[in-house]
Amino acid sequence: MANTILVGAQWGDEGKGKIIDVLTEQAEVVVRTQGGNNAGHTVFIGKQKYVLHLIPSGILRKGKVCVIGNGVVVDPVSLVEEIRGLNKLGIRVDGNLMISETAHLVLPYHRELDEQREILKGKHKIGTTKRGIGPAYGDKAARVGLRMIDLMDAGRFEEKLQRRIKENNEVLKAFGAKPLQFKKVLQTYRAAGKELKPFVANTVVYLHEAMKRQKDILFEGAQGTFLDIDHGTYPFVTSSNTTAGGACTGSGVPPHRMDRVMGVMKAYTTRVGEGPLPTENSEIADLLHGMGREFGATTGRARRCGWFDAVATRHATMVNGLDDLAVTNVDGLDTLDVIRACVSYRVGQRTFDYVPNDVELLAQCEPVYVDFPGWKKSTSKARRWKDLPSAARGYLQGLAELTGARLKIVSVGPAREQTIIL
Ligand code: GDP
Ligand code: IMO
Ligand code: MG
């Protein structure tokens, strides 16, 4: 399979977890390289549903090594909970998980600040997951973050934590929020640190050794291209590089060792949280929500829905260098007479065939659509390309052409076997 970077080509929740699970069959190592427990990756194995937040989705297959890379921000308490949750479901998490020593920690003041800043923003809020992701990456950039390596050293952790809590309590008080109790935080985090100790390692060295032994690595992206801190709809983004470059910086594997980039996208568009979504459409939202679909895996919020936006996915091909595409949730469109795809944006007399950087301008963009005929048949039992109705094949080929990458995988349901590989 070679080293593959998998990214979300839209606004997150494209079905990355499911596609990672399918691809992991051939990979030996799966690495998360950015984001934190803001991610929610859903995988179904049989009837059992698993939702992964920090642990790579590869953990569900035996014999694979999963790595939480240096670029991830780790909430140790929530990671311990996630490990326990998996254990309860019969998934072994021991020698098959590694956590980078240099991954930054998410601490309770990050979560508090995330919440307080959102409240202060009022109607201008971002709609974050309130997991403390922005403040944690902020501390990393400001060089006042604590890392896994600090958590592993009791004395050092206590000293650094005390200083950070002192400062952050002043800020929290200014917000009118409750200050944190140092002793309580110390205790909770130390306990989590103790449980995580066996997993903490120099993952950069490990990954390079794995490459020397010709092991195939899969880089599991979190969030999506338009939530990227540099390339997304700033400020309505997350705080990490969700695009392909993030896989290199977040793992220590250099660009020339990457063999291909796969983009995952839904056959339509969704977004959770605030910010522009040019193709947003209430009819398609009602249809999908009515089917019990498109509720967030992390926060349970109803996702905003719209038609497929090829201006956006073309942009995703550009900034990620997408070679291959996986299109998911094709079955969500099974009942429609006509299916629309946005091919450009219009604002007054101006037409855009790329995503404008000015988020206020993007919010004014009116989509220009091309219409595809619907197939009006269930696709969920299709297992080969030729099993799909010809209108569905036409639509998928159209999406790949508009996006400018090769169609490689089509997903027609949440289960492993509901997958067509081209
Ligand atoms: P991720 O964050 O990119 O991993 O995506 P999420 O797990 O947050 O959201 C994707 C949702 O779509 C999950 O509920 C998946 O089980 C579901 N899913 C993925 N592919 C398909 C598909 O082809 N059809 C259907 N019906 N559901 C799918
Ligand atoms: P996966 O990996 C969809 C969104 C939030 C909010 C913005 C910033 O499951 O695709 P944050 O908490 O990161 O500061 O929130 O980003 N967001 C996601 N949306 N899928 C995700 O992850 C997301 N992670 C963050 O809703 O709009
Ligand atoms: Mg998700």
Side-chain angles (χ1 to χ4, degrees):
M1 188 185 78
N3 291 346
T4 300
I5 301 177
L6 183 137
V7 293
Q10 296 163 320
W11 277 269
D13 300 329
E14 295 90 347
K16 298 178 292 294
K18 157 159 181 179
I19 301 299
I20 286 281
D21 174 62
V22 168
L23 293 177
T24 306
E25 195 174 4
Q26 280 144 45
E28 283 144 299
V29 182
V30 186
V31 192
R32 267 285 300 273
T33 57
Q34 43 72 225
N37 62 343
N38 49 348
H41 297 174
T42 316
V43 181
F44 278 90
I45 300 173
K47 291 227 163 3
Q48 184 61 55
K49 178 181 175 177
Y50 302 88
V51 182
L52 289 311
H53 298 287
L54 271 165
I55 301 178
S57 308
I59 202 79
L60 303 175
R61 286 193 192 258
K62 286 202 180 90
K64 313 291 174 180
V65 177
C66 289
V67 176
I68 297 178
N70 56 277
V72 176
V73 287
V74 177
D75 181 330
V77 178
S78 130
L79 179 54
V80 166
E81 265 169 38
E82 192 171 336
I83 293 171
R84 286 198 187 137
L86 285 172
N87 285 340
K88 263 195 205 140
L89 294 171
I91 304 294
R92 188 180 68 89
V93 185
D94 43 43
N96 54 351
L97 177 69
M98 292 172 84
I99 310 164
S100 167
E101 291 171 333
T102 57
H104 277 250
L105 302 179
V106 178
L107 285 144
Y109 46 83
H110 294 132
R111 278 195 306 274
E112 283 293 327
L113 288 172
D114 195 354
E115 174 134 27
Q116 293 302 324
R117 284 177 189 163
E118 285 283 270
I119 294 170
L120 191 69
K121 282 199 186 94
K123 69 177 171 64
H124 300 293
K125 71 173 194 232
I126 294 165
T128 74
T129 60
K130 298 190 183 150
R131 299 295 190 271
I133 305 300
Y137 276 113
D139 274 2
K140 175 178 176 174
R143 295 155 297 174
V144 291
L146 271 68
R147 307 191 292 180
M148 282 312 292
I149 204 165
D150 301 315
L151 185 63
M152 294 300 108
D153 179 326
R156 196 203 296 181
F157 181 67
E158 178 167 1
E159 192 249 323
K160 287 195 173 186
L161 181 72
Q162 192 157 27
R163 273 191 279 148
R164 296 305 299 143
I165 288 206
K166 197 164 170 234
E167 178 184 322
N168 281 293
N169 273 350
E170 293 305 316
V171 183
L172 287 175
K173 276 189 253 166
F175 270 114
K178 243 172 75 184
L180 294 160
Q181 289 176 301
F182 164 64
K183 282 262 153 63
K184 210 167 145 193
V185 178
L186 180 67
Q187 217 177 19
T188 318
Y189 273 65
R190 263 199 186 150
K194 225 179 200 174
E195 290 210 36
L196 296 178
K197 195 161 191 148
F199 304 109
V200 179
N202 187 325
T203 54
V204 174
V205 169
Y206 169 76
L207 290 170
H208 281 264
E209 275 166 5
M211 283 190 289
K212 264 190 217 142
R213 283 181 277 126
Q214 315 295 327
K215 294 208 183 284
D216 287 336
I217 306 176
L218 185 54
F219 296 83
E220 173 172 347
Q223 292 82 49
T225 298
F226 295 95
L227 293 174
D228 183 283
I229 182 87
D230 284 276
H231 299 289
T233 54
Y234 192 90
F236 303 102
V237 293
T238 191
S239 299
S240 64
N241 282 116
T242 62
T243 46
C248 295
T249 50
S251 67
V253 176
H256 75 290
R257 301 305 306 270
M258 301 297 186
D259 299 299
R260 69 164 174 164
V261 184
M262 176 177 274
V264 185
M265 53 197 212
K266 279 178 176 148
Y268 47 89
T269 304
T270 66
R271 168 168 211 166
V272 55
E274 307 303 316
L277 189 64
T279 62
E280 189 163 17
N281 177 282
S282 60
E283 272 166 60
I284 183 160
D286 291 346
L287 170 79
L288 294 164
H289 292 149
M291 293 157 87
R293 296 161 67 138
E294 302 309 343
F295 294 92
T298 296
T299 57
R301 290 178 288 176
R303 295 176 184 146
R304 298 157 63 195
C305 304
W307 298 111
F308 186 84
D309 184 344
V311 183
T313 58
R314 209 154 49 224
H315 199 95
T317 298
M318 195 163 68
V319 296
N320 293 295
L322 299 184
D323 300 300
D324 296 336
L325 294 176
V327 182
T328 69
N329 286 276
V330 175
D331 53 308
L333 304 177
D334 283 352
T335 56
L336 293 168
D337 290 317
V338 175
I339 300 171
R340 317 197 87 182
C342 167
V343 290
S344 61
Y345 302 146
R346 199 177 285 141
V347 183
Q349 299 300 308
R350 293 167 75 190
T351 303
F352 292 91
D353 61 359
Y354 60 90
V355 181
N357 282 323
D358 181 343
V359 82
E360 285 172 30
L361 182 61
L362 182 60
Q364 291 167 34
C365 282
E366 294 287 342
V368 176
Y369 288 115
V370 293
D371 287 349
F372 289 84
W375 42 93
K376 311 265 287 170
K377 264 193 206 121
S378 169
T379 53
S380 64
K381 290 202 166 63
R383 296 295 174 267
R384 293 164 305 179
W385 177 246
K386 63 176 193 209
D387 297 340
L388 287 170
S390 72
R393 279 181 281 165
Y395 178 62
L396 289 164
Q397 264 158 348
L399 298 192
E401 267 164 41
L402 289 167
T403 300
R406 263 189 318 254
L407 183 63
K408 264 279 173 203
I409 297 180
V410 176
S411 171
V412 293
R416 258 182 195 169
E417 60 278 8
Q418 289 176 300
T419 309
I420 299 166
I421 305 206
L422 280 82

